[in-house]
Amino acid sequence: MATTSSQAIPGTAAASKGIDRTHRRVIFASSLGTMFEWYDFYLYGSLAAIIGKQFFAGVNETTAFIFALLAFAAGFAVRPFGALIFGRLGDLAGRKHTFLITIVLMGVATALVGVLPTYESIGVAAPVILITLRLLQGLAVGGEYGGAATYIAEHAPPGRRAYYTSWIQITATGGMILSLVIILFCRWRLGEAFEAWGWRIPFLLSIILLCISVYIRLQLEESPIFQEMRVHGKLSKAPVRDSIGRWSNLKLVLLALFGAMAGQAVVGYIALVYMNLFLTQTLKVDPATSNLLVAGALAAAAPFYMLCGRIADRIGRKPQVTLGCVIAALTMFPIFQGLTHFANPAIETAQATAP
């Protein structure tokens, strides 16, 4: 979403030494909605193996799992379009209204997965509807994450934008942890029934989270920068064209997309999503154990988002993003080798003897 560069915001002088009450409310409301939205989005990835059995039952188990992952990937494929659609809407109609649309879209799509008939009940219509819902989820997340970051950044004092927006990633991680905790609780209470029908419960609980999030976001006001731009008639009438219709701007978009975002997205989703699947499907770790390990890793990483936000405000974004990608590139393979060694030594031995 388009914003102005660094205009003064009322009350930011006091906030320069700490987050004041007004800014805490803004961060809380924006980030909490992001938490609920990522809870919804992460459920599918965590339950991909079960979803494959339920909705792609017309093929063997391995193929069904691959189809389930492809449906998960469909949500990622449309996220850029969600960013364009809702980013444009946010620049024209305001951040608050866009927030409400994305959270409702995400919550409804997730709840519908919880009541969707399986392949055995309605045949090929089941995976078709599932993929459609995944596409809606992807559109919603594409608009939500950038919108929340823009909204908080427009409230942030100069020199503290990275720290303020780091809270979005913390609560997004919180949403992922919440989804894993609820899955673990349902597995524990329901036992074998979880794979039969209990997997629907975490999806249906998104209705409660949706109501809470909508109520909180209704209390928000438009950001001061957006209000000032609207009062002075400085809002873009064609934000998409202004952003990517001219090479000078498009070049910056492409640099940010492939230079900054692509690398960290690969690292992030390998660590956040694929790790769980690798443990359960490849290394055959018990799902409950895998969920506990991933939830613990997410919780341990959360405080570092704030720390890195503070550092980025001091040294800049570019050095930190570059360093993070380099560290990930150097450590990713050793981490997976270590997981294989400790979780399933037999696979490590098989790889060594018959590569």
Side-chain angles (χ1 to χ4, degrees):
M1 296 182 185
T3 65
T4 56
S5 56
S6 59
Q7 299 180 26
I9 302 171
T12 57
S16 60
K17 295 184 179 180
I19 302 177
D20 62 19
R21 182 177 180 181
T22 301
H23 287 159
R24 280 197 300 269
R25 180 170 172 267
V26 168
I27 292 173
F28 174 77
S30 303
S31 300
L32 192 61
T34 301
M35 175 181 177
F36 294 159
E37 204 144 9
W38 279 91
Y39 164 87
D40 292 346
F41 197 77
Y42 198 64
L43 278 179
Y44 187 99
S46 301
L47 297 174
I50 295 176
I51 289 173
K53 297 175 184 177
Q54 297 290 336
F55 294 98
F56 300 95
V59 295
N60 63 65
E61 185 175 334
T62 301
T63 305
F65 178 63
I66 292 172
F67 282 162
L69 291 181
L70 289 174
F72 187 57
F76 287 92
V78 298
R79 282 181 62 180
F81 299 101
L84 284 174
I85 293 169
F86 293 111
R88 181 178 187 277
L89 182 62
D91 284 334
L92 295 175
R95 290 32 167 158
K96 176 180 176 179
H97 297 89
T98 307
F99 269 167
L100 294 174
I101 294 172
T102 57
I103 196 69
V104 169
L105 183 61
M106 187 69 175
V108 171
T110 303
L112 288 176
V113 173
V115 298
L116 183 62
T118 63
Y119 184 90
E120 291 184 358
S121 300
I122 60 175
V124 72
V128 171
I129 298 173
L130 176 67
I131 292 172
T132 301
L133 294 175
R134 284 292 306 146
L135 294 175
L136 292 176
Q137 287 181 321
L139 288 171
V141 171
E144 160 67 26
Y145 203 72
T150 299
Y151 186 81
I152 292 179
E154 289 181 339
H155 282 83
R160 304 204 72 193
R161 286 181 177 172
Y163 174 61
Y164 271 45
T165 54
S166 68
W167 286 91
I168 300 174
Q169 186 59 45
I170 292 174
T171 50
T173 302
M176 299 174 193
I177 294 173
L178 178 62
S179 70
L180 291 172
V181 169
I182 290 178
I183 290 171
L184 280 168
F185 179 78
C186 291
R187 283 186 186 275
W188 172 63
R189 293 293 298 173
L190 300 175
E192 294 182 0
F194 180 79
E195 294 205 8
W197 57 268
W199 62 269
R200 296 181 181 275
I201 295 175
F203 287 96
L204 294 173
L205 285 176
S206 66
I207 298 174
I208 299 173
L209 302 181
L210 171 62
C211 293
I212 296 172
S213 183
V214 169
Y215 172 77
I216 291 173
R217 288 193 168 181
L218 283 172
Q219 316 305 313
L220 292 174
E221 301 291 339
E222 288 295 350
S223 71
I225 288 181
F226 182 84
Q227 290 177 348
E228 183 178 346
M229 291 169 64
R230 181 159 54 187
V231 168
H232 292 88
K234 294 182 178 180
L235 293 178
S236 172
K237 293 181 173 59
V240 175
R241 185 183 64 194
D242 291 343
S243 297
I244 63 177
R246 291 178 294 190
W247 172 245
S248 59
N249 290 338
L250 178 59
K251 180 173 65 174
L252 296 176
V253 172
L254 293 175
L255 285 173
L257 176 62
F258 294 105
M261 294 305 299
Q264 66 89 23
V266 170
V267 172
Y269 287 107
I270 286 176
L272 300 176
V273 179
Y274 179 69
M275 188 71 73
N276 205 1
L277 298 174
F278 178 75
L279 288 169
T280 57
Q281 300 303 306
T282 303
L283 301 184
K284 305 304 178 183
V285 174
D286 176 71
T289 302
S290 175
N291 288 344
L292 280 172
L293 289 172
V294 174
L298 290 171
F304 290 95
Y305 294 126
M306 286 187 295
L307 174 63
C308 291
R310 288 185 178 276
I311 294 174
D313 282 328
R314 291 180 176 272
I315 69 172
R317 286 45 159 167
K318 180 180 175 180
Q320 195 172 65
V321 170
T322 302
L323 179 62
C325 288
V326 169
I327 292 175
L330 294 175
T331 59
M332 192 65 70
F333 284 102
I335 287 173
F336 277 87
Q337 289 171 348
L339 287 172
T340 303
H341 173 76
F342 289 106
N344 196 330
I347 292 181
E348 182 185 40
T349 302
Q351 288 177 331
T353 57

